[in-house]
Amino acid sequence: MIEFLTAWLGSLPGFMTPLLLASLGLLFCERAGVLNLGVEGVMAFSAMTGAITALAGYGPGAAMALGALAGLAVSIPFVIAVIVFRAPQIPAGLALVAIGLGASEAMGRDAAHKPFLGLQPIPWPEWLTDLPIIGRLLFEQDWMVILSLLLAIVATWGLFRTRHGLRLRAIGEDPATADAAGVDVQLYQFGALMIGALLIGLAGAYLSVAGSQIWTEGMVAGRGWISLALVVFAQWMPVRAIFGAVLFGGAEALIPRLQAQGLEVPVYFLSMTPYLLTIGALLLISLSMRTSQAEPGFLGRAYTRQDR
Amino acid sequence: MMNFSKVRRGLMAAALAGVAMASAPLPAAHAVEIKGDAKIAFIYAATARDGGWNEALDNARMAVEADLGVKVAVVESIKEEATALKNAIDLFVGRGFNVIVATGYGYSEGILEAAKANPEVAFMNASGATNHANLEGFYVRTYQAWYLAGMAAASTSKSGKIGIIGGFPVGVVNWDVNAFALGAQAVNPDIETTVVYTNSWWDPVKEGEVAEAMLDQGIDVIGNNLSSAAPFIAAEKRDAKSVGFQLDMSKHAPRGHLTSVMFNWDKHLVPTIKAISDGSWQPNEWGAFPGMSDGVVSLSSLSDDIPADVKAKIEAAAAKIMAGEMTPFDGPILAQDGSVKVAEGASMDDGALWGMDFLVKGVKGTLN
C-alpha cells in the first residue's frame, strides 16, 4: 500500500502541471472577458514545437521556451479576430483548435514517433528520493512543476494585488465602466491573451518535453478541454486552480495504477471519474451562495465602445 | 474526440466484423474483371507514416510498387465518414483508378456503397467489416504471433509477472491479450499476466504512465498492443523487457526489446493485387483472414536474452501453428473465474475468436 501511494503521488505532479498551466493561461483570458476555446489546438501546436526543438538538439529549457512562444504565435489569428475585429469568441476559439491541430500535424510530420531526451527530474540525494510516501512526490520532480505552482501564486498576486490586475478584472466584469474610467480595454485584453497563450503553450510543451518525451499527433488527448472545465471548477481563482489540477491530475494518475493493480473496477467507470468530479464539484459550488459572482460578468462577449 | 480512432481504429470494428459477416451472406463470388491495367490507390485515415497501423500498410504499398513496377497513388487523412470517403473514391475512379485499398474499419459502410456503385473496380479494406462481389475486408490472425511472444516474455521474466497494454477490450485485442498470457503459461505455468486497457487507441502520455505503473508493481516484461513508443521508453529506462506490435519496435528499446509482432501486409496485398490484374481474384464472402502460415503476421528477430531452449520451443510452436497442428486457443481454455470456455480436445472457431469477450485464467485485470 505504501509503495502504491508513493508511486501514485510521485506521478501526480506530472499530470497536474500541464492542467494547471493551461487553466492558469485560460484564467487570464477569461478574467479579461475573453472565452478562449482554442486551448486544445494551442497545446497541440506547442507540444509539437517543443518536440521539434528538442529533436534538433537544443536543451529541454529551450524546448519549453520555444513551445511557449509557439503558443503565442499560433494564437495570433485568434487574438486579432477577437480583439481587433471583435469576432464572436466561440467560433474563433473553435477555429483556433482546428488551426493548432492541423498545423501541428502538418509541420510535425517528420518529428513524429522520435524519442528524445526531455526534461529530467531535479537530482536530489537518493535517501531523499527513497523516502516513503513523499520521496518521489517531493524529490523526483522537474523544475516546471515548481514553476507552475509559483506561477499560480504570482498570478494571484498579479490579479488581486496590482492595479493592472484590478483593471483586467474590471474589463472582464464590465468593460464599459472600465473604459469610462480610462482603461484601454483592448490593450489589456491583448496583454491577457498573450500571457494566456504563453502559459497554455508551456502546458502543451510540457506534455511532450517532460511527459512523453516523444511527439505524436493527438497527444493532447482532450486535456485542453478538461482545463476549460477546470477554470470553472477553480471559480476563476489561480490558487483554487492548483487544487483542481491536483484533483484532476490525481484522478488521471490513479486510473492506470489501479488497473495495473488488477483492481476489478470497470475501465469505463474509471475514465468517467475526472468528469464526475467536475460535475460533483460544480454542484457543490453552485449550492454555496456566495460564489455566484465568480464568473466574469462580460465573459464571452465582444465589447465595442459605441454600444455602451 | 478528434483523434480517438486514429490508429488501428479498425480493430475495434473488426471485432464486429464477425457479426456483420455472419448476418450478411452474399451470392457466391465470381472473379472481378477490372478494365485495363491495374491502377492502384491507397486511402489512409491519418498520416501514412504514423509509426504503427498505417505505416505497416504503407510499407506494403511500397512493396506493391516495387513488385509490380507501378506507381501507387496515396491519399492521407481521409476522415472515416461516408462523404469524405466517397469524394476520395469518386476522384480516384474518375481518374481511371481501378484497385482501391482502404485501411480502416470506419470505411466499411462507405466502401460497400462505392463497391456497389463501381462494379468494375476492385476494393479492399484493412480491418473492414463489409464484403461484396468486388470488395474484400481483410485482417490477420495476430493472436498466433502474440502466443509466441508470450513464450518469449515468460522466459525472460525474473519476477514471474508480465504485463500487456491494450486499447479497447474488444475481440481482436482480447485475443492478443489471452494468447500472450497462454503463451507465457506454456513456458511458466505460474506466470501472472496483468492487462491494462487504456480506453484509447492513442494516448502516449497515458500509455507511458501505465507502463510506469506496471514496472512499479514488479512487472518486468511489457507487451505493448498499441503503437506509441512511450511504453518502450519507460521499460528501457528501468531495464525491463518489452514486446512490440505492428512494426519492428526495436528502435525504441534497443536493449530490452524481445521481439515484435509484425504485420506484413505485402504478403497479402501483392498476391491479391496480382490476382486482380490477371482477372482471377475472387473476394471471400466473409473477408480474408490469413495468418502466420501466409506470412502476413510474424515475429521480428528474437532477442538474445531469450534462452536458447525457449527459442527452440518458440520455433517448434511456430512450425506447429503454421502447419495447422495447433492453435493458441486449443482446449482446455479456462476463463478468469475458472469456467470452461473451450473444452478439452476442442478448438475455437472464427466466430468465437471475433467475439472473444473473456480473459483467460492467469490474467490479472478486467474487461469493460
Side-chain angles (χ1 to χ4, degrees), chain B residues 270-303:
Chain B
V270 170
T272 308
I273 292 174
K274 276 185 178 163
I276 293 170
S277 301
D278 62 28
S280 64
W281 184 53
Q282 293 195 2
N284 186 317
E285 58 183 302
W286 309 117
F289 193 22
M292 277 185 72
S293 53
D294 310 281
V296 184
V297 63
S298 66
L299 285 185
S300 67
S301 61
L302 296 173
S303 153

mmCIF file of all heavy atoms in Angstrom, chain B residues 270-303:
data_model
loop_
_atom_site.group_PDB
_atom_site.id
_atom_site.type_symbol
_atom_site.label_atom_id
_atom_site.label_comp_id
_atom_site.label_asym_id
_atom_site.label_seq_id
_atom_site.Cartn_x
_atom_site.Cartn_y
_atom_site.Cartn_z
ATOM 1 N N VAL B 270 0.282 -8.044 -52.219
ATOM 2 C CA VAL B 270 0.953 -8.265 -53.506
ATOM 3 C C VAL B 270 0.277 -9.396 -54.284
ATOM 4 O O VAL B 270 -0.139 -9.193 -55.429
ATOM 5 C CB VAL B 270 2.465 -8.503 -53.312
ATOM 6 C CG1 VAL B 270 3.104 -8.960 -54.609
ATOM 7 C CG2 VAL B 270 3.141 -7.241 -52.789
ATOM 8 N N PRO B 271 0.117 -10.592 -53.675
ATOM 9 C CA PRO B 271 -0.560 -11.653 -54.449
ATOM 10 C C PRO B 271 -2.001 -11.300 -54.811
ATOM 11 O O PRO B 271 -2.463 -11.641 -55.912
ATOM 12 C CB PRO B 271 -0.520 -12.874 -53.528
ATOM 13 C CG PRO B 271 -0.024 -12.416 -52.215
ATOM 14 C CD PRO B 271 0.621 -11.085 -52.382
ATOM 15 N N THR B 272 -2.707 -10.594 -53.893
ATOM 16 C CA THR B 272 -4.105 -10.267 -54.192
ATOM 17 C C THR B 272 -4.186 -9.308 -55.382
ATOM 18 O O THR B 272 -5.011 -9.488 -56.288
ATOM 19 C CB THR B 272 -4.778 -9.637 -52.958
ATOM 20 O OG1 THR B 272 -4.558 -10.479 -51.835
ATOM 21 C CG2 THR B 272 -6.268 -9.483 -53.175
ATOM 22 N N ILE B 273 -3.311 -8.301 -55.371
ATOM 23 C CA ILE B 273 -3.356 -7.340 -56.480
ATOM 24 C C ILE B 273 -2.915 -7.999 -57.785
ATOM 25 O O ILE B 273 -3.459 -7.706 -58.857
ATOM 26 C CB ILE B 273 -2.512 -6.090 -56.136
ATOM 27 C CG1 ILE B 273 -3.208 -5.328 -54.994
ATOM 28 C CG2 ILE B 273 -2.344 -5.186 -57.352
ATOM 29 C CD1 ILE B 273 -2.426 -4.161 -54.446
ATOM 30 N N LYS B 274 -1.975 -8.935 -57.683
ATOM 31 C CA LYS B 274 -1.601 -9.692 -58.891
ATOM 32 C C LYS B 274 -2.789 -10.475 -59.425
ATOM 33 O O LYS B 274 -3.044 -10.523 -60.633
ATOM 34 C CB LYS B 274 -0.447 -10.647 -58.574
ATOM 35 C CG LYS B 274 0.920 -9.962 -58.645
ATOM 36 C CD LYS B 274 2.018 -10.981 -58.436
ATOM 37 C CE LYS B 274 3.385 -10.307 -58.546
ATOM 38 N NZ LYS B 274 4.448 -11.135 -57.958
ATOM 39 N N ALA B 275 -3.540 -11.093 -58.495
ATOM 40 C CA ALA B 275 -4.719 -11.861 -58.912
ATOM 41 C C ALA B 275 -5.752 -10.947 -59.557
ATOM 42 O O ALA B 275 -6.400 -11.317 -60.538
ATOM 43 C CB ALA B 275 -5.317 -12.585 -57.708
ATOM 44 N N ILE B 276 -5.882 -9.746 -59.006
ATOM 45 C CA ILE B 276 -6.818 -8.787 -59.599
ATOM 46 C C ILE B 276 -6.378 -8.450 -61.025
ATOM 47 O O ILE B 276 -7.191 -8.439 -61.955
ATOM 48 C CB ILE B 276 -6.898 -7.505 -58.743
ATOM 49 C CG1 ILE B 276 -7.551 -7.804 -57.394
ATOM 50 C CG2 ILE B 276 -7.683 -6.417 -59.474
ATOM 51 C CD1 ILE B 276 -7.471 -6.668 -56.395
ATOM 52 N N SER B 277 -5.061 -8.237 -61.187
ATOM 53 C CA SER B 277 -4.546 -7.871 -62.508
ATOM 54 C C SER B 277 -4.821 -8.954 -63.538
ATOM 55 O O SER B 277 -5.173 -8.655 -64.679
ATOM 56 C CB SER B 277 -3.038 -7.633 -62.435
ATOM 57 O OG SER B 277 -2.763 -6.609 -61.522
ATOM 58 N N ASP B 278 -4.642 -10.223 -63.129
ATOM 59 C CA ASP B 278 -4.826 -11.258 -64.155
ATOM 60 C C ASP B 278 -6.253 -11.803 -64.168
ATOM 61 O O ASP B 278 -6.533 -12.821 -64.805
ATOM 62 C CB ASP B 278 -3.768 -12.367 -64.029
ATOM 63 C CG ASP B 278 -3.858 -13.105 -62.709
ATOM 64 O OD1 ASP B 278 -4.961 -13.159 -62.143
ATOM 65 O OD2 ASP B 278 -2.826 -13.637 -62.246
ATOM 66 N N GLY B 279 -7.151 -11.146 -63.469
ATOM 67 C CA GLY B 279 -8.559 -11.494 -63.594
ATOM 68 C C GLY B 279 -8.997 -12.725 -62.834
ATOM 69 O O GLY B 279 -10.068 -13.265 -63.092
ATOM 70 N N SER B 280 -8.174 -13.182 -61.864
ATOM 71 C CA SER B 280 -8.549 -14.410 -61.159
ATOM 72 C C SER B 280 -8.988 -14.154 -59.720
ATOM 73 O O SER B 280 -9.205 -15.074 -58.951
ATOM 74 C CB SER B 280 -7.360 -15.381 -61.147
ATOM 75 O OG SER B 280 -6.291 -14.823 -60.405
ATOM 76 N N TRP B 281 -9.122 -12.882 -59.355
ATOM 77 C CA TRP B 281 -9.442 -12.569 -57.951
ATOM 78 C C TRP B 281 -10.898 -12.846 -57.638
ATOM 79 O O TRP B 281 -11.787 -12.366 -58.331
ATOM 80 C CB TRP B 281 -9.128 -11.094 -57.677
ATOM 81 C CG TRP B 281 -9.321 -10.674 -56.242
ATOM 82 C CD1 TRP B 281 -8.784 -11.264 -55.136
ATOM 83 C CD2 TRP B 281 -10.107 -9.569 -55.759
ATOM 84 N NE1 TRP B 281 -9.162 -10.589 -53.996
ATOM 85 C CE2 TRP B 281 -9.976 -9.537 -54.352
ATOM 86 C CE3 TRP B 281 -10.890 -8.593 -56.373
ATOM 87 C CZ2 TRP B 281 -10.603 -8.587 -53.545
ATOM 88 C CZ3 TRP B 281 -11.508 -7.636 -55.574
ATOM 89 C CH2 TRP B 281 -11.368 -7.640 -54.178
ATOM 90 N N GLN B 282 -11.111 -13.626 -56.588
ATOM 91 C CA GLN B 282 -12.472 -13.860 -56.119
ATOM 92 C C GLN B 282 -12.539 -13.488 -54.648
ATOM 93 O O GLN B 282 -12.046 -14.218 -53.809
ATOM 94 C CB GLN B 282 -12.845 -15.340 -56.273
ATOM 95 C CG GLN B 282 -12.931 -15.772 -57.723
ATOM 96 C CD GLN B 282 -13.650 -17.102 -57.867
ATOM 97 O OE1 GLN B 282 -14.117 -17.689 -56.896
ATOM 98 N NE2 GLN B 282 -13.740 -17.580 -59.095
ATOM 99 N N PRO B 283 -13.145 -12.360 -54.319
ATOM 100 C CA PRO B 283 -13.201 -11.953 -52.907
ATOM 101 C C PRO B 283 -13.918 -13.010 -52.076
ATOM 102 O O PRO B 283 -14.931 -13.563 -52.514
ATOM 103 C CB PRO B 283 -14.009 -10.655 -52.941
ATOM 104 C CG PRO B 283 -14.033 -10.214 -54.346
ATOM 105 C CD PRO B 283 -13.872 -11.427 -55.189
ATOM 106 N N ASN B 284 -13.363 -13.279 -50.918
ATOM 107 C CA ASN B 284 -14.021 -14.198 -49.995
ATOM 108 C C ASN B 284 -15.257 -13.508 -49.435
ATOM 109 O O ASN B 284 -15.191 -12.354 -49.023
ATOM 110 C CB ASN B 284 -13.045 -14.546 -48.867
ATOM 111 C CG ASN B 284 -13.598 -15.610 -47.944
ATOM 112 O OD1 ASN B 284 -14.766 -15.581 -47.564
ATOM 113 N ND2 ASN B 284 -12.750 -16.551 -47.598
ATOM 114 N N GLU B 285 -16.354 -14.203 -49.386
ATOM 115 C CA GLU B 285 -17.585 -13.535 -48.945
ATOM 116 C C GLU B 285 -17.552 -13.181 -47.464
ATOM 117 O O GLU B 285 -18.341 -12.368 -46.993
ATOM 118 C CB GLU B 285 -18.819 -14.386 -49.251
ATOM 119 C CG GLU B 285 -18.804 -15.749 -48.622
ATOM 120 C CD GLU B 285 -20.032 -16.565 -49.030
ATOM 121 O OE1 GLU B 285 -21.137 -16.086 -48.778
ATOM 122 O OE2 GLU B 285 -19.858 -17.662 -49.590
ATOM 123 N N TRP B 286 -16.643 -13.783 -46.706
ATOM 124 C CA TRP B 286 -16.505 -13.409 -45.284
ATOM 125 C C TRP B 286 -15.292 -12.521 -45.053
ATOM 126 O O TRP B 286 -14.947 -12.230 -43.914
ATOM 127 C CB TRP B 286 -16.366 -14.663 -44.398
ATOM 128 C CG TRP B 286 -17.422 -15.690 -44.633
ATOM 129 C CD1 TRP B 286 -17.254 -16.964 -45.085
ATOM 130 C CD2 TRP B 286 -18.835 -15.545 -44.417
ATOM 131 N NE1 TRP B 286 -18.454 -17.608 -45.176
ATOM 132 C CE2 TRP B 286 -19.446 -16.757 -44.783
ATOM 133 C CE3 TRP B 286 -19.649 -14.488 -43.979
ATOM 134 C CZ2 TRP B 286 -20.824 -16.965 -44.699
ATOM 135 C CZ3 TRP B 286 -21.017 -14.695 -43.905
ATOM 136 C CH2 TRP B 286 -21.589 -15.913 -44.260
ATOM 137 N N GLY B 287 -14.608 -12.134 -46.093
ATOM 138 C CA GLY B 287 -13.384 -11.355 -45.934
ATOM 139 C C GLY B 287 -12.183 -12.276 -45.822
ATOM 140 O O GLY B 287 -12.321 -13.473 -45.567
ATOM 141 N N ALA B 288 -11.004 -11.727 -46.055
ATOM 142 C CA ALA B 288 -9.786 -12.528 -45.985
ATOM 143 C C ALA B 288 -9.245 -12.509 -44.556
ATOM 144 O O ALA B 288 -9.235 -11.471 -43.904
ATOM 145 C CB ALA B 288 -8.741 -11.962 -46.941
ATOM 146 N N PHE B 289 -8.793 -13.652 -44.072
ATOM 147 C CA PHE B 289 -8.358 -13.763 -42.678
ATOM 148 C C PHE B 289 -7.118 -14.654 -42.616
ATOM 149 O O PHE B 289 -7.153 -15.748 -42.069
ATOM 150 C CB PHE B 289 -9.517 -14.337 -41.846
ATOM 151 C CG PHE B 289 -9.341 -14.237 -40.364
ATOM 152 C CD1 PHE B 289 -8.485 -13.316 -39.784
ATOM 153 C CD2 PHE B 289 -10.070 -15.081 -39.521
ATOM 154 C CE1 PHE B 289 -8.349 -13.230 -38.408
ATOM 155 C CE2 PHE B 289 -9.937 -15.003 -38.149
ATOM 156 C CZ PHE B 289 -9.077 -14.082 -37.590
ATOM 157 N N PRO B 290 -6.017 -14.179 -43.221
ATOM 158 C CA PRO B 290 -4.815 -15.004 -43.264
ATOM 159 C C PRO B 290 -4.131 -15.081 -41.896
ATOM 160 O O PRO B 290 -4.590 -14.473 -40.941
ATOM 161 C CB PRO B 290 -3.921 -14.264 -44.270
ATOM 162 C CG PRO B 290 -4.358 -12.844 -44.179
ATOM 163 C CD PRO B 290 -5.828 -12.878 -43.857
ATOM 164 N N GLY B 291 -3.048 -15.816 -41.825
ATOM 165 C CA GLY B 291 -2.347 -15.974 -40.550
ATOM 166 C C GLY B 291 -0.850 -16.097 -40.750
ATOM 167 O O GLY B 291 -0.313 -15.683 -41.780
ATOM 168 N N MET B 292 -0.179 -16.692 -39.759
ATOM 169 C CA MET B 292 1.267 -16.824 -39.827
ATOM 170 C C MET B 292 1.708 -17.680 -41.007
ATOM 171 O O MET B 292 2.757 -17.444 -41.599
ATOM 172 C CB MET B 292 1.799 -17.444 -38.533
ATOM 173 C CG MET B 292 1.984 -16.442 -37.419
ATOM 174 S SD MET B 292 2.743 -17.199 -35.966
ATOM 175 C CE MET B 292 4.413 -17.440 -36.542
ATOM 176 N N SER B 293 0.888 -18.692 -41.328
ATOM 177 C CA SER B 293 1.283 -19.583 -42.412
ATOM 178 C C SER B 293 1.350 -18.848 -43.744
ATOM 179 O O SER B 293 2.064 -19.241 -44.654
ATOM 180 C CB SER B 293 0.313 -20.762 -42.511
ATOM 181 O OG SER B 293 -0.998 -20.274 -42.606
ATOM 182 N N ASP B 294 0.608 -17.755 -43.858
ATOM 183 C CA ASP B 294 0.680 -16.938 -45.069
ATOM 184 C C ASP B 294 1.764 -15.872 -44.962
ATOM 185 O O ASP B 294 1.977 -15.120 -45.905
ATOM 186 C CB ASP B 294 -0.675 -16.254 -45.316
ATOM 187 C CG ASP B 294 -1.824 -17.239 -45.256
ATOM 188 O OD1 ASP B 294 -2.021 -17.955 -46.242
ATOM 189 O OD2 ASP B 294 -2.505 -17.305 -44.209
ATOM 190 N N GLY B 295 2.358 -15.766 -43.793
ATOM 191 C CA GLY B 295 3.424 -14.773 -43.602
ATOM 192 C C GLY B 295 2.912 -13.372 -43.353
ATOM 193 O O GLY B 295 3.694 -12.434 -43.257
ATOM 194 N N VAL B 296 1.594 -13.196 -43.247
ATOM 195 C CA VAL B 296 1.046 -11.848 -43.119
ATOM 196 C C VAL B 296 1.286 -11.286 -41.714
ATOM 197 O O VAL B 296 1.339 -10.089 -41.507
ATOM 198 C CB VAL B 296 -0.449 -11.831 -43.490
ATOM 199 C CG1 VAL B 296 -1.005 -10.416 -43.465
ATOM 200 C CG2 VAL B 296 -0.641 -12.419 -44.878
ATOM 201 N N VAL B 297 1.455 -12.180 -40.730
ATOM 202 C CA VAL B 297 1.890 -11.736 -39.411
ATOM 203 C C VAL B 297 3.084 -12.609 -39.032
ATOM 204 O O VAL B 297 3.137 -13.790 -39.388
ATOM 205 C CB VAL B 297 0.756 -11.827 -38.368
ATOM 206 C CG1 VAL B 297 0.295 -13.253 -38.152
ATOM 207 C CG2 VAL B 297 1.171 -11.199 -37.051
ATOM 208 N N SER B 298 4.064 -11.999 -38.354
ATOM 209 C CA SER B 298 5.244 -12.774 -37.973
ATOM 210 C C SER B 298 5.924 -12.095 -36.795
ATOM 211 O O SER B 298 5.559 -10.995 -36.400
ATOM 212 C CB SER B 298 6.228 -12.860 -39.147
ATOM 213 O OG SER B 298 6.743 -11.577 -39.427
ATOM 214 N N LEU B 299 6.906 -12.770 -36.231
ATOM 215 C CA LEU B 299 7.704 -12.163 -35.172
ATOM 216 C C LEU B 299 8.959 -11.561 -35.790
ATOM 217 O O LEU B 299 9.556 -12.149 -36.689
ATOM 218 C CB LEU B 299 8.123 -13.216 -34.140
ATOM 219 C CG LEU B 299 7.061 -13.709 -33.154
ATOM 220 C CD1 LEU B 299 7.692 -14.643 -32.142
ATOM 221 C CD2 LEU B 299 6.386 -12.552 -32.444
ATOM 222 N N SER B 300 9.376 -10.404 -35.272
ATOM 223 C CA SER B 300 10.681 -9.893 -35.669
ATOM 224 C C SER B 300 11.747 -10.752 -34.982
ATOM 225 O O SER B 300 11.421 -11.586 -34.144
ATOM 226 C CB SER B 300 10.816 -8.426 -35.261
ATOM 227 O OG SER B 300 10.839 -8.315 -33.853
ATOM 228 N N SER B 301 13.012 -10.537 -35.328
ATOM 229 C CA SER B 301 14.045 -11.451 -34.833
ATOM 230 C C SER B 301 14.060 -11.461 -33.303
ATOM 231 O O SER B 301 13.874 -10.442 -32.650
ATOM 232 C CB SER B 301 15.409 -11.047 -35.378
ATOM 233 O OG SER B 301 15.713 -9.749 -34.940
ATOM 234 N N LEU B 302 14.274 -12.652 -32.736
ATOM 235 C CA LEU B 302 14.204 -12.830 -31.290
ATOM 236 C C LEU B 302 15.471 -12.303 -30.631
ATOM 237 O O LEU B 302 16.573 -12.514 -31.123
ATOM 238 C CB LEU B 302 14.031 -14.317 -30.949
ATOM 239 C CG LEU B 302 12.728 -14.961 -31.435
ATOM 240 C CD1 LEU B 302 12.750 -16.462 -31.197
ATOM 241 C CD2 LEU B 302 11.533 -14.348 -30.740
ATOM 242 N N SER B 303 15.289 -11.641 -29.485
ATOM 243 C CA SER B 303 16.430 -11.091 -28.744
ATOM 244 C C SER B 303 17.298 -12.224 -28.192
ATOM 245 O O SER B 303 16.814 -13.314 -27.889
ATOM 246 C CB SER B 303 15.916 -10.235 -27.595
ATOM 247 O OG SER B 303 16.835 -10.191 -26.554
#
